[in-house]
Amino acid sequence: MDWREPDMFEPAEHANKPFAIRVPALVVSRGSGEEINFLTAMWFTPTGFDPSRLVVAILKESYTYTLLCQRPEFVLSAPTEQMMEVVVFAGRISGRDVNKWKATGLTPVRPSKISVPLIGEAIANVEYHVISRIPFDDKTDLFVGEALAVHVRKGAMEGELYREDADPLLYMGTKYDAQGKSLGKFSARFAGVHCADYDSPLLKKYITYR
């Protein structure tokens, strides 16, 4: 194989940046009592299809971590584009200091399988039961949740795909100046659904369909 020099690339500061355009999540948790909180999360990924499972990384210092250890269940909410301010707020303010539900005015909605509320303004909510807590490093643990129920806003999706008029929040990241001051949170607009030709010439060379 003839290897080229990587002159079409330049160094970047963080390995997460090339994969930064994604729908963030609000992790809703509840403690052993009535205390309820939500936290903005970007470090999460699906890990199974049937049963549907997901891994989310939670900082041990966070209020959400404390609540998850008390009650092993959570809701993962997908925010809409209009919820950008909520996403920024939930990632910067601790639930130990501020009641985020009262501060944001979000609507708690009754779940069907667990005791943690859904977020009424979200484009979708998934109810999870924690099946494993995995120590990761000094600052973080991984929580593995198994999905018990899924709630999608009416008209937002067709099967696994967003509809043309859906408005998920596609977060891109934060830009900083030389002194480290935030210049703003950046997001991309959902511009519709495009279907690529799956029956590609390359696949035909290696796959025979019945």
Side-chain angles (χ1 to χ4, degrees):
M1 182 181 294
D2 184 16
W3 289 48
R4 284 189 55 185
E5 293 299 319
D7 51 11
M8 70 288 291
F9 299 114
E10 62 182 8
E13 294 182 358
H14 202 290
N16 288 349
K17 292 306 180 183
F19 314 102
I21 300 180
R22 58 183 303 188
V23 178
L26 295 171
V27 179
V28 187
S29 57
R30 180 180 179 183
S32 54
E34 295 301 317
E35 59 273 29
I36 299 173
N37 188 53
F38 57 88
L39 169 77
T40 299
M42 294 296 292
W43 303 334
F44 63 93
T45 184
T47 57
F49 187 79
D50 189 16
S52 178
R53 293 174 177 172
L54 177 138
V55 173
V56 59
I58 303 293
L59 293 174
K60 295 178 182 179
E61 67 180 19
S62 69
Y63 188 43
T64 293
Y65 183 91
T66 300
L67 300 187
L68 279 173
C69 290
Q70 293 178 9
R71 190 186 296 260
E73 55 188 28
F74 63 94
V75 166
L76 204 70
S77 296
T80 65
E81 185 177 350
Q82 290 74 31
M83 293 173 66
M84 178 60 134
E85 185 176 359
V86 173
V87 171
V88 174
F89 174 80
R92 294 294 301 274
I93 301 298
S94 173
R96 292 189 179 94
D97 303 323
V98 177
N99 184 321
K100 296 182 183 180
W101 289 94
K102 290 183 178 179
T104 59
L106 293 180
T107 306
V109 175
R110 191 179 307 279
S112 62
K113 299 292 185 180
I114 61 177
S115 60
V116 179
L118 317 177
I119 294 178
E121 289 76 9
I123 200 168
N125 294 270
V126 183
E127 301 178 38
Y128 287 97
H129 172 68
V130 176
I131 60 172
S132 181
R133 176 161 60 94
I134 304 171
F136 186 66
D137 58 25
D138 292 340
K139 296 182 178 180
T140 309
D141 276 356
L142 305 178
F143 288 81
V144 182
E146 185 166 299
L148 301 180
V150 183
H151 310 268
V152 177
R153 180 170 296 281
K154 295 178 180 179
M157 302 185 76
E158 292 183 16
E160 299 180 0
L161 302 178
Y162 282 116
R163 293 173 56 96
E164 293 279 352
D165 55 353
D167 62 345
L169 174 59
L170 301 181
Y171 177 70
M172 294 180 62
T174 307
K175 190 173 183 179
Y176 300 92
D177 64 15
Q179 287 72 44
K181 181 181 178 181
S182 173
L183 298 177
K185 301 280 185 179
F186 290 77
S187 63
R189 290 192 178 277
F190 186 67
V193 180
H194 303 278
C195 179
D197 184 6
Y198 185 74
D199 192 19
S200 70
L202 185 59
L203 284 176
K204 287 181 178 180
K205 290 176 62 175
Y206 300 100
I207 298 179
T208 302
Y209 297 101
R210 296 181 179 178

